[in-house]
Amino acid sequence: RPFFFAMSPESKMLDYLSNQFNVLFVVSTGNTGGWLNPTCTAAEYERANPEERAAWTYSYIWNNLPDYRILSPSESINALSIGSLHYDISGVQGNNYQMNPLPDNLPATYSRFGGGKNRSLKPDAILQGGKVFYRSNIFGSQPAEIHLPDKNPRGIGHKAVSASTPTSTITLSGTSNSTALASRLCAQLLENLHRYIAVPSDYDAVAAKCLFIHSCDWGNLGKELQIKYVPQSGKEKEKVARWIGYGYPIIEKSLFCEDNRVTLVGYGSISQNNYVEFRFPLPNCLQAQHIEKKLTITLAWMSPIDVNTKKYRLANLEFKSNCDDVGLVQSTRQEADNNISRRGTVQHEVFKGSSASAYEDGTDLVIKVLCKKEDKLSVPIKYVLMATLEVAPEAGLPIYQEVAARLQNPVGIGIYCCPLKVEKE
């Protein structure tokens, strides 16, 4: 059923099981079908270029949001909920009878969205789900009425094994495709982590969740949606977040470091009304450099739940950093708003800045992980923290080497994150 305000029994079950048994569930947001009624004539829709067709299509979707709300149990606060992009490698362009409604790599028309419990971010991320084409039974100057066909043109979508025989294949599109890809990425990221960092196995579920979300980025997609395809009535960034979550996974960020990019990983457990500090040694090569810097910080955990209260989520964790105080980057969030980011069980924030950093040699970026007071929370909460500092490759700055050197000879008191370093194959 569509999610509006009340958590479904299925989502409560997933939240309980994930916390009780250290399991990460990856859930599709669900598909919507039927037809589109864009505010144009059938002839205008057929003649339109891809951007015009996308604008009419998305205008209809945003005007009919209740029909596009995520389906149970994707509102689960501990699960990863995955939506779909309109993309596959079929190369089929369509015709007057099978019309392509969108340019590649925009949110799919069938992909549900809109947010979760207490306006938390759902979907969490968005991946390729395959294209779908539409057809019109209306012609000329009549209002457009665009239907999903009984089946897509041959070859559209992702290739999958057919249920009929083990040697035949079919092509499919949908949010389940995207969810399968996300599940596979989580497994790859976790396997890679264990090759280089000795994270205990009882952190696997939280680590996979953190690694996956840490790799996500709005990129050009977020900017394009903000400018062209969300209602321009204020809070455009919040609307984009409700549509694509934390964005599309750029898996390399969580797989390996490079000379211009260093990723540090920390983990632990924390009790209510406590905090822990992590220290990220800052490289001296960034001092007084007027170059674009990007800092991405992700904190993930699993929360016990209280089904008898409106609060529902018992473990309320968050991180705070001193990136403003040390002049590393601006504190303004570049993608999902920090208030939305703190309503679930992942906090993922992206900071950028190009002003010259004036910090002294030996300065640390301090990231404080806090667990807010909650008397009903009687057990420590496992969490995983990741932080990535990067500059453009053409800057030629040895970010990784300088941070790694300082980690080998830590000075002062504090918990230092473990560096994630994998050579690119």
Side-chain angles (χ1 to χ4, degrees):
R1 66 183 186 187
F3 170 76
F4 286 95
F5 303 105
M7 300 289 285
S8 65
E10 295 87 354
S11 63
K12 294 175 185 177
M13 176 185 69
L14 295 190
D15 285 334
Y16 170 78
L17 293 173
S18 58
N19 178 68
Q20 188 74 11
F21 298 106
N22 288 322
V23 177
L24 175 63
F25 291 96
V26 188
V27 187
S28 69
T29 60
N31 305 322
T32 185
W35 60 85
L36 304 169
N37 293 109
T39 55
C40 61
T41 67
E44 287 172 332
Y45 194 85
E46 290 177 9
R47 292 195 303 263
N49 63 42
E51 284 197 356
E52 291 170 335
R53 198 175 279 180
W56 277 322
T57 300
Y58 286 148
S59 177
Y60 171 81
I61 289 174
W62 278 96
N63 287 330
N64 294 271
L65 278 181
D67 297 332
Y68 287 84
R69 295 286 299 185
I70 61 174
L71 295 182
S72 167
S74 60
E75 72 271 24
S76 163
I77 63 169
N78 286 332
L80 286 178
S81 301
I82 307 298
S84 287
L85 287 170
H86 180 81
Y87 182 76
D88 56 47
I89 60 170
S90 63
V92 180
Q93 298 301 314
N95 52 47
N96 288 340
Y97 301 100
Q98 300 282 2
M99 293 181 291
N100 189 348
L102 302 170
D104 287 355
N105 284 312
L106 289 179
T109 55
Y110 54 79
S111 184
R112 289 175 173 264
F113 63 99
K117 177 70 173 176
N118 294 329
R119 296 185 298 132
S120 60
L121 216 56
K122 294 290 173 179
D124 293 283
I126 193 164
L127 278 84
Q128 300 99 328
K131 300 175 186 176
V132 295
F133 286 4
Y134 287 76
R135 62 182 172 82
S136 176
N137 292 334
I138 308 298
F139 300 95
S141 60
Q142 294 175 298
E145 190 173 292
I146 315 301
H147 293 261
L148 278 173
D150 295 332
K151 60 180 181 178
N152 264 334
R154 185 175 181 84
I156 288 291
H158 291 148
K159 186 178 287 188
V161 176
S162 172
S164 56
T165 65
T167 57
S168 60
T169 60
I170 56 175
T171 52
L172 302 168
S173 298
T175 52
S176 292
N177 296 22
S178 307
T179 304
L181 294 174
S183 180
R184 180 172 180 245
L185 288 180
C186 286
Q188 289 176 321
L189 288 166
L190 190 60
E191 181 182 12
N192 183 73
L193 179 72
H194 283 306
R195 289 171 60 195
Y196 296 95
I197 300 177
V199 177
S201 60
D202 56 346
Y203 283 83
D204 279 359
V206 182
K209 184 177 181 177
C210 189
L211 287 160
F212 179 82
I213 294 297
H214 189 71
S215 71
C216 290
D217 198 296
W218 279 12
N220 292 328
L221 173 63
K223 296 175 184 176
E224 188 174 7
L225 295 178
Q226 254 182 284
I227 296 169
K228 297 180 182 178
Y229 299 125
V230 299
Q232 301 295 305
S233 55
K235 297 186 177 180
E236 285 81 10
K237 193 160 72 168
E238 182 178 332
K239 293 168 186 171
V240 172
R242 289 170 58 194
W243 204 356
I244 64 171
Y246 294 114
Y248 180 82
I250 310 298
I251 193 171
E252 290 82 3
K253 182 183 287 187
S254 291
L255 275 179
F256 53 79
C257 297
E258 295 184 321
D259 289 342
N260 64 298
R261 183 182 70 233
V262 59
T263 297
L264 277 71
V265 182
Y267 62 90
S269 61
I270 189 170
S271 301
Q272 59 100 7
N273 205 29
N274 278 288
Y275 74 90
V276 179
E277 282 188 356
F278 287 84
R279 295 182 177 273
F280 188 127
L282 294 178
N284 295 334
C285 63
L286 282 181
Q287 292 174 309
Q289 294 279 356
H290 287 276
I291 58 172
E292 182 79 9
K293 300 176 287 289
K294 183 177 180 181
L295 174 67
T296 305
I297 306 176
T298 307
L299 173 68
W301 67 98
M302 299 289 186
S303 176
I305 59 173
D306 183 355
V307 298
N308 297 315
T309 65
K310 184 179 178 181
K311 187 180 295 183
Y312 187 73
R313 178 191 66 168
L314 289 181
N316 186 1
L317 275 64
E318 67 172 307
F319 70 76
K320 295 181 179 180
S321 77
N322 65 338
C323 62
D324 245 357
D325 298 336
V326 299
L328 180 65
V329 288
Q330 299 167 355
S331 60
T332 305
R333 278 74 181 173
Q334 298 297 308
E335 297 182 1
D337 180 81
N338 62 314
N339 291 322
I340 299 176
S341 185
R342 294 176 185 177
R343 292 174 185 147
T345 55
V346 175
Q347 183 184 353
H348 174 79
E349 299 188 25
V350 180
F351 309 88
K352 291 182 181 178
S354 56
S355 58
S357 301
Y359 57 81
E360 298 178 355
D361 291 356
T363 297
D364 291 337
L365 174 70
V366 178
I367 304 173
K368 183 182 292 186
V369 176
L370 307 93
C371 183
K372 294 188 177 179
K373 182 176 175 59
E374 174 53 67
D375 292 334
K376 289 186 178 181
L377 184 60
S378 57
V379 296
I381 300 300
K382 296 183 181 70
Y383 64 87
V384 174
L385 176 73
M386 295 185 70
T388 294
L389 178 63
E390 57 189 311
V391 296
E394 53 269 21
L397 298 178
I399 301 291
Y400 176 83
Q401 287 86 348
E402 292 194 3
V403 172
R406 284 200 56 204
L407 282 171
Q408 291 169 7
N409 299 289
V411 178
I413 300 172
I415 300 175
Y416 281 82
C417 304
C418 304
L420 180 65
K421 173 65 173 176
V422 183
E423 296 298 334
K424 205 171 188 177
E425 294 183 357

